[in-house]
Amino acid sequence: MALHLPPVYLLNFRLPTSEVLKLEREIGEPLVRDISEAKIVIGKVTRKSRAQLEFKSRGVHTEEVVHETDDYKAQKRRRIDEGKTREVITVDSSTESEPELDLDPKANSPGHSIKVLKLDWYFDSVKAGALLPTEKYLVYEGRIVEKPKAAPPEPRKLLRTESILSRARASTPPRIQSSYRHNPRRSHSPNIRSKTQPRLLHETTSEHDIADNLPPLPSYLKSPYSCERPTPAHSPNEAFIAQLQKLKHARKLDRDDRGISALAYSKAIAAIAAYPYTLTSAREISRLPHCGQRYVELYQEWKETGHIKEVDEIESDARMKSLKEFYEIFDVAEKTARQFYARGWRDLDDVISHGWDKLSPNQQIGVKFYDDFQEKIPREEVEKIAAVILKYANRIREGFHMVVVGGYRRGKDMSGDVDVILSHPDDDATDHVVEEIVWNLAEDKWITHRLTVSTTNSERGQEPVSWKGSMPKSAGGFCTLDKALVVWQDADQARNPDPKKKHNPRRRVDIILSPWKTAGCAIVGWTGGTMFERDLRKYCRHERGVKFDSTGVRRLSDGAWLDLEAGGGDLLAKEKKVFEGLGLEWRDPTERCTG
DNA sequence: AGGCAAATACTG
DNA sequence: CAGTAT
DNA sequence: GCCT
C-alpha cells in the first residue's frame, strides 16, 4: 500500500485487540502514539461526542472546528468567558493559546486541527490506492485548545472531625499551589504545546502541570491498601461510584473469571470512595490507585453525557434482571444464578414452581424469606436484637462483652443483617456456648431457623504448654471461634403483635463467639467493609510478614501466634491494640466503608 | 506480557 | 470437589 | 483490570 498517510492516530475504541494490532502493523510509519500529534484520527467512531471524548480521555482538549466564522467566534467567546471565571493559571499570557492566528496549523500546537474519520476512510482509501476526500467520513474536526480548568473544589467536609485529612490540612500551608503542583523533572513527556516555558516558580506551561493543578492527593491515597485510608460512608462522588457498582455487579454475574474483573472494580471503587474531593477531570481520577484508563474513560463518558452506555445496557437487559433476582436469594450466588437461568427460569416464581425440590435446604429458606431478607434493618432493631442475644449469653454465664460489628458498626442507618461478637474475659467461658445460646434463643422463638452453626476452630502454634493442660475435652482447641448464622424473628411481636407494625420480618443474624485473647482481631475482622478486610490481610502478609485473620495474628515464617492485644482492657481497647501491633494507623469504624 | 487477586469453614 | 457463606 |  503506497498510501502516503499523514500522521495517523488509531483509536482502539470498540476494536478487538487483534484488529488493532493488525491495523497498526499495516499502517506502520505514519502512526503516532500521541493523539495530539496526529492530523488524522481513525477509529470505530460515528458520534461526534464520542470523538471528543476520545480526545479528552487522552488529556487533550479540543474545540470543534466549524467552518463558519460566526459560529466559531461565538464559540470562542464562550470559551474565553469560561476562562475568566477561573482564578487559576495566569500562565498562558506568554503562550500561544489563543488561536488568533489559527492559520499556521503547525502540528503539535494549539490551533492545529485534527480530523476524526471513520475507519472506512482508511479501508476505502487502501482499496482506491489513494487518499480519498475526507468529507464523507468526517465525524469530528477539532482544534487543540488550552485546557479549560476548573478551580480546585473545596474539600468536602468529612464526617469525622478527627480524620487524617483535617489534621493534614491543619498542618499544611494554605493552598500554596506549588506545594502540590511543582513536579520538577519529567513534566515533559510527549507534550503538546510545550515550548519550554519561563520557569517562574509556580508558573506552569505544560499540559501536565496545568492539569495537575488539582487538589493535593491526600497521602493516604497513595497507598494501594484500603485499610490505610480513611473511607467514609459518603463520598462526594457517590453518583459516579453508583455507576461503577452496577458495572461491578454485572461483571460478577455474567463473567466466569473467579470474580477477578469484579474485584478490579471493587478496588477502584474503594479508592474513589476514599477521595475527599469532587472529581472534575479525568487526570484527577487516574491519580488514584487501581484507577486506570478504564476509569478515566468511564468518568469522561459519565461526566459528558450523564450516562454510561454500558450501564444503561445492563439495566435494560432482561437476562441481567433475572440473574440479579436469583443472586439475591440467600445461598444462591453467581454460579447458581446462571444455572437457574440456563434451566430456563426467569424469576422467583419459576424457581418455586419448577425447581423447589432441587433447592438446598438453605436455598429454600432463602426463597421463603426472599422479601424479608431484602428488607434492611434499622439501627434500633439491630440494637434490640443484640441486646436479646447478650441477655441470653449472660444467662449462661455472667460477664459477657459484646460488640455489634458489620455495617451497623460502620455507621450505616440500615443494615442487611446483624453481626454480633461475644466474648468473655474468662478463657473457657466462650467454649461451646454458641450452641447453648442458639438453643435457648430457639426455644424462646427468637430464632426460627439455623443456617449454619459451626464450632471448633482449633489453633496451632500457640502456647502449647498452657493450653494442653487447661483445655479439658474438645479434641482440638484452645481457641475456638464459633459462630452461628440464624434466622431471627422478634419473639415479643410474634406473641402479641403490635398492630402498628405491618409484619414481623425475619432477619439474618450472625452470632460470633471469640476467645478473649484475640477478640480484638475478631472485631477488626468483622467490622470493615469487604475491601478493607481483604486489603488488611494483604497488607499484613506483604508489609508486615504476618497473617491476619479474625482468630489472631501469626508470624508468616513460623506460624507463631503473636499476642497483639495483651493488656488491652476492654474489647475496643483490644481492637486499637491490634491496629498498633500491625503498625496501622487507627481507623474509626466509620472510616472503613470501603464497600 | 504475564502475574495476580484474602482466607476459611460448611454443605451436598 | 464445587459452591456459598462469613 | 491493574500492577510490575
Side-chain angles (χ1 to χ4, degrees):
Chain A
M1 40 119 200
L3 287 181
H4 287 298
L5 288 162
V8 173
Y9 185 91
L10 176 64
L11 297 172
N12 53 9
F13 174 61
R14 296 221 309 244
L15 278 178
T17 318
S18 55
E19 187 103 356
V20 171
L21 293 174
K22 197 175 124 215
L23 280 166
E24 283 180 349
R25 234 187 355 262
E26 206 173 296
I27 298 171
E29 245 301 278
L31 267 187
V32 292
R33 272 191 71 241
D34 184 338
I35 196 169
S36 67
E37 288 169 9
K39 284 249 178 205
I40 300 284
V41 174
I42 55 175
K44 261 198 170 171
V45 189
T46 50
R47 282 177 17 243
K48 190 186 293 176
S49 59
R50 179 72 217 189
Q52 285 172 315
L53 200 147
E54 293 291 335
F55 282 104
K56 289 213 173 164
S57 70
R58 288 165 177 79
V60 175
H61 294 262
T62 59
E63 65 180 13
E64 181 168 12
V65 173
V66 183
H67 294 283
E68 252 185 272
T69 347
D70 282 349
D71 260 347
Y72 168 59
K73 276 205 194 126
Q75 243 184 312
K76 186 181 147 194
R77 188 170 56 248
R78 180 164 46 71
R79 193 171 58 77
I80 293 171
D81 288 345
E82 277 170 12
K84 271 290 188 267
T85 67
R86 325 286 175 213
E87 26 114 2
V88 218
I89 326 170
T90 26
V91 186
D92 39 69
S93 55
S94 67
T95 82
E96 67 299 339
S97 66
E98 289 317 323
E100 221 68 295
L101 34 136
D102 39 74
L103 339 167
D104 180 53
K106 208 169 60 180
N108 228 14
S109 69
H112 153 57
S113 96
I114 304 175
K115 288 177 176 169
V116 180
L117 305 177
K118 292 176 193 162
L119 207 43
D120 281 339
W121 172 79
Y122 171 74
F123 290 133
D124 292 350
S125 292
V126 171
K127 242 181 270 170
L131 297 186
L132 297 173
T134 54
E135 298 88 67
K136 279 191 332 212
Y137 305 89
L138 186 65
V139 177
Y140 173 72
E141 180 170 359
R143 175 189 292 109
I144 296 178
V145 296
E146 193 59 65
K147 179 180 184 179
K149 186 54 211 97
E154 277 307 299
R156 291 303 172 274
K157 208 171 153 248
L158 291 176
L159 297 175
R160 314 291 313 172
T161 42
E162 21 92 276
S163 80
I164 271 215
L165 179 69
S166 33
R167 268 182 282 138
R169 252 191 301 154
S171 62
T172 292
R175 301 218 145 269
I176 304 294
Q177 301 175 324
S178 54
S179 72
Y180 54 89
R181 233 239 223 139
H182 93 14
N183 180 8
R185 170 182 50 259
R186 144 180 105 209
S187 55
H188 323 294
S189 350
N191 218 334
I192 342 188
R193 117 178 97 277
S194 65
K195 339 158 159 200
T196 25
Q197 218 65 91
R199 30 358 148 261
L200 292 182
L201 187 42
H202 52 288
E203 224 64 327
T204 87
T205 350
S206 79
E207 190 74 16
H208 274 123
D209 284 335
I210 292 167
D212 282 345
N213 186 10
L214 296 168
L217 186 67
S219 61
Y220 53 73
L221 266 166
K222 292 182 182 141
S223 169
Y225 301 113
S226 59
C227 58
E228 290 197 292
R229 319 187 283 244
T231 312
H234 296 287
S235 151
N237 301 295
E238 263 169 350
F240 179 55
I241 290 173
Q243 305 300 304
L244 299 182
Q245 297 280 17
K246 290 174 192 164
L247 289 171
K248 167 186 151 189
H249 197 239
R251 292 290 180 280
K252 177 133 204 147
L253 288 181
D254 82 354
R255 198 175 289 199
D256 198 3
D257 63 355
R258 289 154 57 224
I260 282 172
S261 61
L263 177 62
Y265 282 88
S266 300
K267 290 172 169 180
I269 288 167
I272 297 169
Y275 189 64
Y277 310 99
T278 301
L279 289 165
T280 59
S281 75
R283 194 176 297 283
E284 195 173 3
I285 202 170
S286 67
R287 301 187 297 177
L288 306 177
H290 306 110
C291 294
Q293 181 65 18
R294 168 80 174 146
Y295 300 91
V296 168
E297 283 164 15
L298 288 171
Y299 177 75
Q300 285 291 356
E301 184 182 355
W302 181 74
K303 192 186 173 194
E304 305 251 310
T305 67
H307 292 269
I308 292 175
K309 194 160 144 270
E310 207 185 327
V311 173
D312 295 344
E313 284 164 5
I314 290 163
E315 295 200 310
S316 57
D317 184 275
R319 175 168 171 271
M320 286 305 270
K321 187 166 178 270
S322 297
L323 289 177
K324 188 162 177 262
E325 186 164 332
F326 298 150
Y327 186 74
E328 283 167 352
I329 302 170
F330 173 85
D331 212 31
V332 171
E334 64 269 23
K335 312 269 185 184
T336 311
R338 286 196 284 260
Q339 203 176 302
F340 285 3
Y341 189 89
R343 290 177 183 168
W345 306 341
R346 292 298 177 263
D347 58 25
L348 211 53
D349 287 339
D350 291 340
V351 175
I352 295 167
S353 50
H354 302 121
W356 181 256
D357 31 325
K358 294 195 186 82
L359 300 179
S360 77
N362 277 358
Q363 286 168 347
Q364 290 185 348
I365 291 173
V367 170
K368 233 184 236 164
F369 305 124
Y370 185 85
D371 293 328
D372 282 3
F373 289 172
Q374 286 313 101
E375 246 177 85
K376 299 295 186 196
I377 315 172
R379 296 183 70 80
E380 206 180 39
E381 191 182 341
V382 173
E383 285 152 18
K384 177 175 183 191
I385 291 171
V388 172
I389 295 171
L390 181 59
K391 191 175 84 188
Y392 275 70
N394 280 328
R395 210 151 80 185
I396 293 168
R397 177 141 173 193
E398 239 346 288
F400 269 97
H401 294 232
M402 183 185 70
V403 179
V404 182
V405 289
Y408 173 90
R409 186 151 183 260
R410 295 197 298 275
K412 288 173 72 171
D413 289 332
M414 295 296 222
S415 304
D417 61 4
V418 179
D419 306 287
V420 305
I421 292 184
L422 288 167
S423 189
H424 197 293
D426 290 348
D427 250 356
D428 57 336
T430 49
D431 192 37
H432 285 95
V433 280
V434 222
E435 284 140 316
E436 208 174 341
I437 294 174
V438 168
W439 177 260
N440 291 338
L441 285 167
E443 200 165 44
D444 293 350
K445 310 286 192 221
W446 294 100
I447 287 173
T448 62
H449 303 74
R450 54 187 70 185
L451 297 167
T452 67
V453 179
S454 54
T455 46
T456 67
N457 283 301
S458 49
E459 300 298 322
R460 285 178 334 227
Q462 43 174 313
E463 307 177 315
V465 201
S466 58
W467 65 258
K468 253 191 184 146
S470 70
M471 214 55 194
K473 48 163 195 169
S474 99
F478 158 74
C479 197
T480 76
L481 205 166
D482 301 341
K483 68 185 201 108
L485 180 54
V486 302
V487 178
W488 183 277
Q489 190 171 41
D490 191 305
D492 290 341
Q493 232 198 269
R495 275 191 289 275
N496 42 21
D498 176 347
K500 267 177 291 184
K501 296 192 178 164
K502 263 276 166 359
H503 71 148
N504 187 6
R506 317 280 169 139
R507 308 299 199 183
R508 282 170 24 236
V509 175
D510 220 338
I511 303 170
I512 298 144
L513 268 286
S514 171
W516 189 255
K517 302 178 97 145
T518 54
C521 289
I523 292 168
V524 173
W526 257 287
T527 297
T530 312
M531 280 316 298
F532 183 95
E533 297 300 336
R534 297 174 79 155
D535 284 342
L536 176 61
R537 287 157 160 80
K538 198 182 188 190
Y539 165 88
C540 287
R541 178 174 294 269
H542 291 90
E543 309 298 327
R544 297 284 179 236
V546 298
K547 191 165 93 76
F548 172 90
D549 66 45
S550 50
T551 68
V553 176
R554 287 164 195 76
R555 211 184 286 131
L556 223 41
S557 51
D558 58 2
W561 175 60
L562 303 175
D563 185 6
L564 270 30
E565 304 176 24
D570 62 2
L571 292 181
L572 299 185
K574 287 158 77 59
E575 184 192 26
K576 288 215 162 68
K577 294 211 119 200
V578 172
F579 273 77
E580 277 169 35
L582 294 173
L584 268 182
E585 212 174 318
W586 168 251
R587 294 277 163 252
D588 190 88
T590 57
E591 297 175 337
R592 303 180 204 170
C593 301
T594 56

